[in-house]
Amino acid sequence: MSWKMSWIHSLLISFLIGAVSCNMRPQFAANMTVATVPEDRLVGEPIFWIFATDPDNDKLIYGIGGRDSYYFKVNPDTGEVHLAISLDYESKPSLEIDIIVQDKEQIPFRQLMTIIVKDCNDNDPVFLNTPYFAQLLENNTVGSIVYTVVAEDYDNDRLVTPTYSIDEVIPNDFQHLFYILANGSIVLNGSLNYNNRSTFYRLLVNATDRGGPLRDEIIYRSSITYVSLDIVDLPDMDPQFINAPYTVSILENTAINKHILTVSAVDGDKGINDEILFFITHSSEPGLFNLSTTGEIYVSGPIDREALVEKDEQVVLEVMAQERELNIKNENATSTTTVTIRIIDINDNKPQFYNCEIDSCDFTSALSDHFTGMLDEHSAVRVPVANLTIAANDPDKGQHGTFHLYLRGVDANYFSVSPARLINSGQVQILVRNPEAIDYEKIHLMEVEIVANDTGNLENCCSVASVRINILDINDHIPTFAKATYELEVQENCADGTTIATITATDFDSGSLGHITYQLLPESIRENFYVDPTSGLISVVNGTLLDRERRSVYYATLQAQDGGDAKGTTLLEITILDINDETPTAAGIYNIFTNENSNDISIQIEAYDTDEPNTNNSKIEFLLIPSDLSDNFTINVTTGLITSLFPLDREAINETQNGRIVLTVKLYDLGEPSLSSNVNVTINVEDLNDNEPLFRKPEFHFSVNESTNGAFVGSLQVEDHDQTDLNNRVSFRISQGGSGNFIIRAQSEGKGVFTGDLSIDPEVKLDYEQQKSFTLIIEAQDNGAQGVSYTATATAIVQVLDLNDEPPYIDQSSLKDLNVLENRTVGIERLASLNATDPDTDHKLEFQELSVQCLKNGVDVGSICHDWLWLAPTGELYVNRSEDVDYELCDLVVILLRVEDKMTLLGERYSANVTQRVVIQDVNDHIPEFLEIDETFVVVPEAAPFDYQVALVKARDKDMGVNAEIIFSIASVIFIFSSGGTTSLSNIFNIVPSLEKDYYQGSIRVATSLDVNLKGQYQVTVNAMDRGDPPLNATRSINIFAVDTSYRVSLTFSKSSDYVRENSEEIQKWLAVATGATVYISDIKEASSKSISSRADPETILYVYFVYSNGTAITPEALDRIIRGNSVALSELLQLGLKVIGSPNDPGDNKENEMLYGVIAGLTGALVLVLIIMVTALVCIRKSNKRKLRAIKASKIAKALPGEVVQGAEVIPGTNKFNSDRANPILNVDLGPIVDLGFDETTSVSDSVSVDSLYKHILDKDHNNSSTLQENREMGAETEASNDERDEPLAIALNDRVKNSYSNAALDTTDL
């Protein structure tokens, strides 16, 4: 007993303790509101602990939540929090999370906690507004600011500016040309020059921050950028002539406007290349030449070499080149050069005669064509005519000045001219040829003409001078010389007094007449020669005047005079003997132009030596004196023809010579001693573009950082060995591979040396991820003259250096829909691996889940699926709790996710948000469900043909796909009799399935003929089975009521069977309208009858069932009553030929039908009467007077009727309407006088209707005769109406009553 009480007390105490105890909520530590975490902590590092206490000492479970919770992971058991996603102070300086703790009661307790992100030195300075590109004028002053760069350090809230430095200047020769200030301003530290210095500079600028902590160390971070500076050339240089000074040789009389030379110049400012205009500022002979502004020199006036002899046979032009635009000083930029134009002689002058001595003649004022002389008779042969001073001159030069002399006229045969050939000029004498013909006693005056003929001048060859010779009488005995002519010789330039010869004459006269004194004639000869008057000694007076080259022969007359003044003469032909005293001289100036590479140069050196022809003194030979490039030529020693041995190369000529080759030719004669002279032959070798540009190497390799606009890439060097700027100036272009990303600028590094500076287009940023390298084909093309240019190519391979500046992206191919089966029990399962790519070379990617959406049939169903899946930072997607996955709750999970690149330096660090669809797949875990159908199924066996639908079932399956596809089958058919009892049937029905909008439907159809005598209902069991594996099925039983033949109704129509069949649908419609039931037509047959009248009228029997939706049918007895109750349907059926309801052979049926037809006819008549009365009421007022008038006429007609007609009729239809007018002719109501209002012409339609109202609606279709009579009556009425339009309706009615009276056995007045 005591132990029982002790147990009860213990139990009671325990209950009381449990009743008063309660679970206390855990509490967070007081410092669990704020935590500071440096942003440089690595993912996975522990950063703080969640600490809470529980008064009940329960085990605590920790968690985190809130909008920023995805940055962290927490150990639920210890509360240690690890970093899940890298922190970034610059993008998010603070975070907010909910720290969660719960005890065993599973009631979570939340508290807001702020995570303060501590800034670290994790960002490089960033240059703003890159790329940096500027253009500098070449005259920028030293100390001026040329550009300012700006960089920011995102650390320290952008409050600390970085320091700047210039690490490199390209080209390398100008490292100290610029310096940078603390604010980023770049200052010019030296002078710029576009022509003499670089035209482009690239500065490597460094920005370094002030240092800061990172991973517990103080580090300094820096970044670099490039500043590209293009130097802009200014017009500060004068133009420069090419190949100046200029020399050209042309023929005299060159045609006006002929182009002879083109001067060319280039702008000294290579970066401007202004247009150059040309002008003549001075000419040594104005008016002969003009100059176009483009540098072409043309002939503008007649050119005569002979007029320019005193000016060295040349014209010197001073040509100025002027730039079109003003220079930097707002002045014209000009330079000048000289153009020397050598005039070459042509044979354009004929010889002329002058009346003067050759030594004193200037060939200008003494021009004459008439001369007079005298001659003693019988003068000896070759005695010159005295007192003649004839000089001839051809001003052309050298061989062009050679001409011939001869005589013509009546006395020409008696004289000769001496000399017969002259070069340039000479004294001309007329000599005696036939002394016998010269006889004073026969002729006192003789005349001849001297012809000077320049055979080289075909157009203007000759001059003619007439000479009159007076013949003098002489003594018969004259002193006589032994010879008629003495040929004497003396050397030119001999000593004065040199004895030539002693010649004496004999005179047979004696005394003073025989004393002979000598003298030389003409007097002019005495300047050169002297004869002793006594001895006849002939000597030289002045040897210096004897110059064979001026005059090779002197003709003198030695006269011997006796005392009686008788004179005898002899001819002295004093030949001047040649000595080698003339130096060979070149004819003309030799300055020729030829293109380089020519191998057909031929230069004929023309020279002359005025020593005696055909002697060694005048024979000239030629020698090419060795000089620079003289080995390229040879000269014919005797002809002086210079020819080239090899093609000329302009580039082989020293550049200082400007393409000139000067050959020195020695001209020497063969006399003793030999005399010589030199002539320079200048060959101007015109530069052709015959050298291709040459790259210093075929392939160049460069590298450049991506995302740097306008960055300098590198330089390509090209040489062109042509000598002139016109042919060696090179331009660059990128022919392939650039895709518009690069530009190249040509820079001159010296004569024929150019650099192509390759840089990135300032408007383009290269992207390493799109293209890692470029292979550029660089073309260098020279600007050759005459349309000839050459192109050289080199390959530039540019490697793009990667920067981490591209956002990552998720591989779309890995985002294909994933499938997960519902109701699996495998626990955690890896579903897929999502792939992400970062175009950058160095990257660290982390997947982040942003949201999860649960959908069922496209509708959001909340968070039911949030814990089904889990996305790892590596992109692995896991099924977290596969047993909870339920297709019927959620069929689609859409995960919004992104990828972060932890190593991004520039640009966006996150990928675009993408969605991963996870499709929950159905398993066959639901059986098909039949849908309720609120419908009673009835079959009329007699009206149910094969494949006729008698019932319908519907079912759906909550599963999807094949699991939701349903197959119907009939499991069993049992017929339940109305009297009780059942029987099993087979193959009676089949079922046809079909897919509707959201369910399957099975149509139960007749498979064989049904027994029409069975009374009861079919119980059909339908099986619905899905196509799942394994399949699931359900069954449903339905009842189909059978309508037997006892409910069949026969309807007789007074129409043919064909007509009934054609209108069966219309009949069926109106039967349905009348009964409200479903009408089944089982058969249509022609009625069989033995009577003749019946056979004449076709009848058809229609067998019909009337079934309601509840399964009940209309009996034949009830049908008659139902149809009678719907007058509209009844009227339509009558119109369609309905005659009898029921069998026509049944007497009872006939009686009922007759009654039915009576009722129908009565109703129809009543309806028509109502309509007539309404119409009549509307027009009765208007017709009142007309009716009275017609009533009077009708009364007259009625009185005239035979008595038997009137007496036999108790009532005349159609007359009652006149009672109100007291004009009924039957009642003999006499009407008073009526005024005829003139309405008798109008026929009343309403009267006609009233008269015919009793006849028109009589239903009699049993007798053919009555129908015929009715038709005849109508035809008769129409005929009479046409004969007399004024007949009244009453009369017509009375007449028709007599002619066409008949009775309808089926309808009488009693029925009505």
Side-chain angles (χ1 to χ4, degrees):
M1 187 67 181
S2 62
W3 67 270
K4 288 183 178 180
M5 291 299 295
S6 175
W7 179 82
I8 292 172
H9 290 165
S10 298
L11 182 62
L12 184 60
I13 291 171
S14 299
F15 174 76
L16 293 175
I17 293 173
V20 299
S21 67
C22 65
N23 184 53
M24 301 296 289
R25 187 177 69 180
Q27 296 293 325
F28 286 106
N31 61 349
M32 287 288 99
T33 58
V34 178
T36 300
V37 180
E39 64 172 331
D40 59 356
R41 289 296 177 258
L42 301 178
V43 174
E45 284 190 26
I47 52 175
F48 64 90
W49 295 72
I50 302 175
F51 183 73
T53 58
D54 186 34
D56 303 320
N57 292 322
D58 292 335
K59 176 177 175 58
L60 300 180
I61 299 174
Y62 298 95
I64 58 175
R67 66 181 185 185
D68 298 325
S69 59
Y70 61 87
Y71 278 90
F72 310 99
K73 292 180 181 178
V74 62
N75 187 320
D77 297 324
T78 64
E80 185 179 26
V81 178
H82 295 258
L83 190 63
I85 297 175
S86 297
L87 301 177
D88 186 9
Y89 172 83
E90 287 71 30
S91 60
K92 204 160 189 177
S94 64
L95 308 172
E96 290 186 354
I97 63 172
D98 291 336
I99 53 177
I100 305 170
V101 64
Q102 60 185 21
D103 58 9
K104 66 180 182 179
E105 296 297 326
Q106 301 295 315
I107 299 175
F109 172 58
R110 294 172 175 265
Q111 178 174 301
L112 180 66
M113 185 175 188
T114 301
I115 308 298
I116 298 175
V117 181
K118 182 181 179 182
D119 189 21
C120 295
N121 192 13
D122 61 341
N123 289 285
D124 293 334
V126 176
F127 284 95
L128 305 181
N129 302 320
T130 58
Y132 296 136
F133 173 81
Q135 292 184 328
L136 305 183
L137 299 179
E138 64 174 334
N139 65 345
N140 268 21
T141 58
V142 176
S144 61
I145 295 175
V146 298
Y147 203 82
T148 300
V149 299
V150 178
E152 282 190 356
D153 187 355
Y154 291 160
D155 296 320
N156 300 313
D157 295 321
R158 305 188 183 185
L159 299 177
V160 179
T161 59
T163 59
Y164 300 99
S165 63
I166 298 177
D167 292 351
E168 181 185 19
V169 177
I170 297 174
N172 295 327
D173 298 338
F174 301 97
Q175 295 300 314
H176 303 291
L177 188 58
F178 304 93
Y179 63 89
I180 191 168
L181 302 178
N183 62 354
S185 295
I186 299 173
V187 180
L188 182 62
N189 196 34
S191 61
L192 304 174
N193 190 296
Y194 184 91
N195 292 300
N196 300 327
R197 291 191 151 198
S198 177
T199 61
F200 173 80
Y201 299 94
R202 188 175 74 162
L203 283 60
L204 180 63
V205 178
N206 182 298
T208 304
D209 62 17
R210 308 286 179 156
L214 182 69
R215 305 298 299 169
D216 301 326
E217 294 182 6
I218 300 299
I219 67 168
Y220 294 87
R221 306 182 73 96
S222 64
S223 60
I224 61 172
T225 190
Y226 287 97
V227 179
S228 298
L229 302 176
D230 277 352
I231 309 305
V232 178
D233 194 10
L234 294 177
D236 57 352
M237 298 288 291
D238 291 334
Q240 298 174 357
F241 280 96
I242 300 174
N243 297 329
Y246 299 90
T247 302
V248 65
S249 297
I250 66 171
L251 297 176
E252 63 174 331
N253 296 335
T254 298
I256 304 296
N257 295 325
K258 179 174 178 60
H259 173 256
I260 61 171
L261 179 66
T262 299
V263 297
S264 59
V266 294
D267 189 351
D269 301 299
K270 297 179 181 179
I272 298 178
N273 197 21
D274 194 5
E275 181 182 358
I276 307 299
L277 307 178
F278 298 91
F279 306 94
I280 295 177
T281 57
H282 179 265
S283 174
S284 63
E285 191 68 21
L288 296 184
F289 302 96
N290 62 17
L291 173 65
S292 69
T293 57
T294 55
E296 291 84 8
I297 298 178
Y298 297 91
V299 177
S300 63
I303 302 173
D304 186 6
R305 182 199 66 84
E306 289 72 26
L308 299 172
V309 172
E310 296 181 357
K311 296 182 179 181
D312 295 331
E313 303 176 5
Q314 64 184 16
V315 178
V316 179
L317 305 178
E318 184 179 89
V319 176
M320 178 180 70
Q322 175 180 310
E323 297 178 10
R324 179 176 289 276
E325 304 296 334
L326 299 179
N327 61 15
I328 194 172
K329 300 177 182 177
N330 205 27
E331 299 174 349
N332 288 321
T334 62
S335 61
T336 59
T337 188
T338 59
V339 177
T340 301
I341 303 173
R342 300 286 186 182
I343 309 302
I344 300 175
D345 182 47
I346 64 173
N347 194 359
D348 61 340
N349 290 283
K350 68 181 180 179
Q352 298 287 346
F353 293 99
Y354 298 87
N355 189 3
C356 60
E357 291 291 339
I358 187 65
D359 295 330
S360 60
C361 192
D362 59 2
F363 301 113
T364 57
S365 60
L367 181 64
S368 177
D369 57 359
H370 292 87
F371 298 90
T372 302
M374 60 183 181
L375 178 67
D376 289 336
E377 64 175 333
H378 303 301
S379 294
V381 175
R382 298 189 64 81
V383 171
V385 177
N387 294 332
L388 289 179
T389 54
I390 303 174
N393 178 62
D394 188 335
D396 291 323
K397 189 174 183 179
Q399 295 299 320
H400 295 158
T402 301
F403 58 94
H404 295 81
L405 300 171
Y406 63 90
L407 298 179
R408 69 182 183 183
V410 294
D411 298 324
N413 294 330
Y414 309 135
F415 299 94
S416 63
V417 64
S418 178
R421 176 176 176 269
L422 282 177
I423 298 176
N424 295 124
S425 63
Q427 200 76 41
V428 179
Q429 290 181 327
I430 305 298
L431 305 180
V432 176
R433 182 179 183 186
N434 185 358
E436 296 298 328
I438 305 170
D439 189 353
Y440 181 81
E441 285 71 25
K442 292 180 181 180
I443 186 169
H444 293 19
L445 178 65
M446 304 181 78
E447 292 184 0
V448 295
E449 289 182 338
I450 306 174
V451 178
N453 181 11
D454 185 352
T455 58
N457 191 341
L458 300 179
E459 295 182 357
N460 191 13
C461 65
C462 304
S463 294
V464 179
S466 63
V467 180
R468 293 167 59 88
I469 305 173
N470 295 311
I471 306 301
L472 301 177
D473 191 16
I474 64 172
N475 207 356
D476 289 338
H477 299 283
I478 59 176
T480 303
F481 289 95
K483 294 180 180 179
T485 301
Y486 290 90
E487 295 179 355
L488 306 177
E489 293 179 348
V490 65
Q491 285 189 343
E492 62 179 332
N493 294 324
C494 62
D496 297 344
T498 300
T499 300
I500 300 175
T502 300
I503 300 175
T504 61
T506 303
D507 189 340
F508 296 104
D509 293 326
S510 61
S512 61
L513 293 177
H515 180 71
I516 300 174
T517 58
Y518 300 94
Q519 68 173 346
L520 291 175
L521 298 175
E523 292 183 3
S524 59
I525 201 68
R526 298 170 190 170
E527 295 178 1
N528 299 315
F529 302 100
Y530 171 76
V531 61
D532 185 273
T534 302
S535 64
L537 176 65
I538 301 172
S539 62
V540 176
V541 176
N542 187 353
T544 60
L545 297 179
L546 299 181
D547 186 355
R548 194 210 65 81
E549 286 72 31
R550 288 180 58 84
R551 191 170 180 176
S552 60
V553 178
Y554 288 87
Y555 294 94
T557 299
L558 179 59
Q559 179 179 285
Q561 184 176 358
D562 60 14
D565 293 332
K567 300 179 179 69
T569 61
T570 186
L571 178 63
L572 301 182
E573 183 178 317
I574 305 172
T575 300
I576 308 302
L577 298 179
D578 187 37
I579 65 171
N580 196 18
D581 61 344
E582 293 293 331
T583 302
T585 303
I589 298 173
Y590 299 93
N591 185 23
I592 69 167
F593 292 84
T594 185
N595 290 330
E596 67 172 324
N597 301 326
S598 297
N599 194 23
D600 57 351
I601 296 176
S602 178
I603 305 170
Q604 178 64 57
I605 304 299
E606 293 185 356
Y608 59 91
D609 191 326
T610 55
D611 287 324
E612 184 175 0
N614 301 321
T615 65
N616 286 341
N617 292 337
S618 62
K619 187 175 182 180
I620 302 173
E621 292 188 350
F622 303 88
L623 175 66
L624 191 60
I625 297 176
S627 63
D628 189 19
L629 299 178
S630 63
D631 292 340
N632 286 351
F633 302 90
T634 183
I635 188 168
N636 189 301
V637 68
T638 58
T639 64
L641 180 64
I642 299 175
T643 56
S644 57
L645 296 175
F646 311 103
L648 300 183
D649 186 2
R650 169 66 183 258
E651 287 67 44
I653 303 172
N654 192 301
E655 290 185 5
T656 60
Q657 297 299 319
N658 289 327
R660 293 187 182 90
I661 299 176
V662 179
L663 302 177
T664 302
V665 178
K666 179 180 179 181
L667 313 175
Y668 63 92
D669 58 27
L670 302 181
E672 291 293 339
S674 176
L675 300 178
S676 65
S677 65
N678 293 338
V679 62
N680 287 337
V681 178
T682 302
I683 302 173
N684 296 278
V685 181
E686 299 286 352
D687 186 30
L688 295 181
N689 190 18
D690 60 342
N691 287 280
E692 297 182 2
L694 297 175
F695 282 94
R696 291 187 176 173
K697 54 184 178 179
E699 187 170 283
F700 296 82
H701 292 267
F702 307 110
S703 63
V704 65
N705 286 331
E706 65 172 334
S707 302
T708 53
N709 301 65
F712 176 77
V713 177
S715 297
L716 298 86
Q717 292 76 33
V718 169
E719 292 184 10
D720 191 311
H721 294 295
D722 289 315
Q723 281 197 356
T724 59
D725 290 344
L726 188 63
N727 291 323
N728 65 20
R729 183 173 291 183
V730 176
S731 60
F732 295 86
R733 83 179 183 95
I734 303 171
S735 62
Q736 294 182 24
S739 302
N741 295 317
F742 299 89
I743 57 176
I744 188 167
R745 293 185 175 92
Q747 307 293 336
S748 176
E749 301 295 335
K751 193 172 185 64
V753 180
F754 289 85
T755 297
D757 291 334
L758 184 65
S759 59
I760 301 173
D761 191 316
E763 297 181 359
V764 173
K765 284 187 178 181
L766 300 184
D767 190 347
Y768 173 84
E769 289 69 31
Q770 292 184 0
Q771 191 165 348
K772 296 178 175 58
S773 66
F774 292 85
T775 300
L776 311 180
I777 303 301
I778 308 298
E779 290 186 358
Q781 183 179 25
D782 58 22
N783 300 323
Q786 294 86 37
V788 177
S789 63
Y790 294 98
T791 300
T793 60
T795 302
I797 300 175
V798 181
Q799 299 291 337
V800 182
L801 303 180
D802 187 26
L803 297 177
N804 196 330
D805 60 344
E806 295 291 335
Y809 62 89
I810 298 175
D811 188 358
Q812 293 295 326
S813 62
S814 68
L815 294 176
K816 57 187 178 182
D817 288 356
L818 304 175
N819 299 316
V820 175
L821 292 175
E822 64 173 335
N823 297 333
R824 289 167 58 86
T825 57
V826 295
I828 297 177
E829 177 185 12
R830 189 176 72 86
L831 182 58
S833 294
L834 304 184
N835 298 325
T837 304
D838 192 312
D840 297 311
T841 304
D842 298 325
H843 56 266
K844 182 178 181 181
L845 304 183
E846 180 179 276
F847 283 83
Q848 298 173 359
E849 180 184 290
L850 302 179
S851 67
V852 178
Q853 187 178 19
C854 309
L855 301 173
K856 177 62 180 176
N857 296 327
V859 179
D860 195 326
V861 294
S863 61
I864 193 169
C865 67
H866 283 189
D867 58 350
W868 291 0
L869 303 170
W870 173 61
L871 177 64
T874 59
E876 302 291 325
L877 185 62
Y878 294 92
V879 179
N880 195 27
R881 302 175 64 179
S882 59
E883 65 276 6
D884 293 341
V885 178
D886 188 350
Y887 171 83
E888 283 69 39
L889 296 178
C890 170
D891 59 9
L892 178 64
V893 180
V894 180
I895 303 173
L896 181 66
L897 55 96
R898 69 182 181 188
V899 171
E900 180 186 5
D901 183 1
K902 297 295 185 179
M903 299 178 68
T904 297
L905 297 177
L906 301 173
E908 180 60 51
R909 62 192 311 118
Y910 298 102
S911 70
N913 295 345
V914 298
T915 57
Q916 172 63 61
R917 291 163 45 94
V918 180
V919 179
I920 309 302
Q921 290 187 324
D922 184 37
V923 298
N924 197 21
D925 58 347
H926 291 85
I927 63 174
E929 296 179 356
F930 281 94
L931 305 180
E932 296 298 331
I933 300 178
D934 187 13
E935 184 178 350
T936 301
F937 301 114
V938 179
V939 61
V940 178
E942 188 178 9
F946 174 76
D947 205 37
Y948 178 77
Q949 177 177 305
V950 297
L952 195 69
V953 294
K954 299 178 181 179
R956 68 162 58 97
D957 195 316
K958 293 182 180 179
D959 295 318
M960 291 294 292
V962 296
N963 295 332
E965 295 180 7
I966 297 176
I967 303 172
F968 293 102
S969 61
I970 296 178
S972 64
V973 178
I974 298 175
F975 191 82
I976 303 173
F977 294 97
S978 302
S979 58
T982 61
T983 183
S984 296
L985 302 174
S986 61
N987 300 325
I988 298 296
F989 303 104
N990 61 14
I991 188 166
V992 178
S994 63
L995 176 62
E996 300 301 323
K997 183 176 181 181
D998 58 349
Y999 61 87
Y1000 283 85
Q1001 178 174 284
S1003 174
I1004 300 175
R1005 305 190 177 195
V1006 176
T1008 186
S1009 298
L1010 302 180
D1011 191 344
V1012 300
N1013 297 315
L1014 292 178
K1015 296 184 178 181
Q1017 56 184 329
Y1018 295 93
Q1019 187 179 70
V1020 181
T1021 301
V1022 178
N1023 180 55
M1025 181 175 63
D1026 61 27
R1027 292 180 180 271
D1029 185 18
L1032 303 177
N1033 67 296
T1035 59
R1036 169 66 63 89
S1037 294
I1038 60 172
N1039 294 325
I1040 304 173
F1041 294 95
V1043 179
D1044 60 87
T1045 55
S1046 62
Y1047 291 95
R1048 185 175 64 186
V1049 178
S1050 60
L1051 301 177
T1052 304
F1053 287 82
S1054 59
K1055 299 289 183 180
S1056 66
S1057 59
D1058 292 338
Y1059 175 85
V1060 173
R1061 285 188 180 91
E1062 291 176 359
N1063 294 275
S1064 60
E1065 292 184 1
E1066 188 71 13
I1067 294 171
Q1068 192 173 7
K1069 182 186 76 171
W1070 288 109
L1071 289 174
V1073 170
T1075 60
T1078 303
V1079 180
Y1080 299 91
I1081 299 176
S1082 63
D1083 198 4
I1084 300 174
K1085 295 181 179 180
E1086 291 186 358
S1088 60
S1089 176
K1090 297 180 180 180
S1091 64
I1092 297 175
S1093 60
S1094 298
R1095 287 198 298 271
D1097 277 340
E1099 290 187 350
T1100 301
I1101 300 176
L1102 186 68
Y1103 296 98
V1104 187
Y1105 289 86
F1106 297 88
V1107 180
Y1108 289 106
S1109 60
N1110 61 0
T1112 60
I1114 300 176
T1115 62
E1117 295 77 11
L1119 179 63
D1120 180 68
R1121 174 179 52 80
I1122 293 171
I1123 292 179
R1124 291 174 185 271
N1126 192 322
S1127 59
V1128 176
L1130 176 60
S1131 176
E1132 293 294 333
L1133 290 170
L1134 290 176
Q1135 293 293 328
L1136 292 170
L1138 178 62
K1139 183 177 180 181
V1140 177
I1141 300 175
S1143 174
N1145 298 325
D1146 188 356
D1149 291 344
N1150 290 338
K1151 184 176 181 180
E1152 291 179 358
N1153 288 339
E1154 291 177 358
M1155 183 177 296
L1156 175 61
Y1157 285 124
V1159 171
I1160 294 172
L1163 291 174
T1164 303
L1167 179 60
V1168 172
L1169 285 174
V1170 170
L1171 295 174
I1172 293 173
I1173 292 170
M1174 291 177 64
V1175 173
T1176 303
L1178 292 174
V1179 299
C1180 65
I1181 296 175
R1182 182 184 175 197
K1183 304 298 183 177
S1184 176
N1185 292 330
K1186 295 180 181 180
R1187 186 178 293 113
K1188 289 181 180 181
L1189 181 60
R1190 290 195 297 275
I1192 294 172
K1193 292 181 179 181
S1195 176
K1196 294 178 181 180
I1197 296 172
K1199 291 178 179 181
L1201 290 176
E1204 62 271 18
V1205 175
V1206 176
Q1207 292 174 0
E1210 298 178 354
V1211 63
I1212 298 176
T1215 62
N1216 292 332
K1217 64 182 180 178
F1218 298 102
N1219 290 340
S1220 63
D1221 298 327
R1222 294 183 302 154
N1224 192 327
I1226 302 304
L1227 299 179
N1228 279 327
V1229 178
D1230 191 12
L1231 298 174
I1234 301 299
V1235 178
D1236 190 354
L1237 301 178
F1239 298 122
D1240 55 342
E1241 293 86 358
T1242 305
T1243 302
S1244 175
V1245 178
S1246 61
D1247 291 342
S1248 300
V1249 175
S1250 300
V1251 172
D1252 296 337
S1253 60
L1254 295 177
Y1255 301 99
K1256 192 172 184 180
H1257 301 287
I1258 297 174
L1259 177 63
D1260 186 3
K1261 299 186 178 180
D1262 295 334
H1263 300 88
N1264 189 35
N1265 291 337
S1266 62
S1267 299
T1268 303
L1269 288 174
Q1270 177 67 18
E1271 293 174 0
N1272 293 335
R1273 182 188 66 81
E1274 293 175 355
M1275 292 179 61
E1278 292 175 359
T1279 303
E1280 293 179 11
S1282 64
N1283 293 334
D1284 187 3
E1285 295 179 358
R1286 295 182 178 271
D1287 288 343
E1288 289 295 324
L1290 182 58
I1292 295 173
L1294 293 175
N1295 291 333
D1296 287 342
R1297 188 171 183 270
V1298 174
K1299 295 176 183 178
N1300 303 321
S1301 61
Y1302 63 92
S1303 63
N1304 187 353
L1307 183 63
D1308 56 19
T1309 57
T1310 303
D1311 296 328
L1312 293 174

